[in-house]
Amino acid sequence: MAYSNYGLPDVRWPRGPRAWAYAAAAAALGAGSLYVWGLVSLFGTYDLEEFCTLTKHQDFDPEYAYATEQWFPLSQKCNATYDLVPAYVNTGVVALAALTVACVVAAVAIAVKQRRGANAGPTDDKEATT
């Protein structure tokens, strides 16, 4: 006896534009949340030198620390090799932003396709002329 879904129930995924719009909203919320998480790690202290040396156990180099603060990609370095913002933050924000754009494009394409299908006029078939 062969199972087509390996014992999993047959699930029909929603294919309308609303489902893609919800997915786009979820991805945008994820990207925004991850960016805020990066900002929290960026502005987690008042004294950057003490935070780097006492909390993170890294050497503090003012040349890198005060010259490399960036808003995008998020970056705040203690020295040439250690960044206070985790590496996954910028990668995740870009990936989730790209996913948001892809979901929006899919939602718009499906909505346009459904609208054109609903507004389609008669074709050149024999049934349309009778």
Side-chain angles (χ1 to χ4, degrees):
M1 178 175 204
Y3 293 104
S4 62
N5 286 338
Y6 302 104
L8 298 175
D10 188 23
V11 177
R12 291 188 168 264
W13 295 98
R15 294 189 175 132
R18 183 177 293 170
W20 287 101
Y22 287 150
L29 181 65
S33 299
L34 195 57
Y35 190 80
V36 168
W37 175 259
L39 284 177
V40 166
S41 66
L42 185 67
F43 298 116
T45 181
Y46 290 116
D47 189 7
L48 186 61
E49 182 177 0
E50 285 183 8
F51 187 71
C52 288
T53 55
L54 299 177
T55 306
K56 298 297 182 176
H57 307 291
Q58 296 291 322
D59 294 330
F60 182 74
D61 186 2
E63 182 179 323
Y64 284 99
Y66 298 122
T68 60
E69 182 178 322
Q70 295 178 356
W71 290 92
F72 190 81
L74 283 173
S75 178
Q76 177 64 60
K77 296 191 177 224
C78 287
N79 52 39
T81 59
Y82 189 80
D83 197 350
L84 291 176
V85 179
Y88 63 84
V89 171
N90 292 319
T91 306
V93 168
V94 170
L96 287 170
L99 182 63
T100 301
V101 171
C103 288
V104 167
V105 168
V108 169
I110 291 171
V112 167
K113 183 178 178 183
Q114 286 179 352
R115 181 167 285 230
R116 285 187 182 167
N119 294 336
T123 60
D124 292 335
D125 294 341
K126 290 182 181 180
E127 296 175 358
T129 57
T130 57

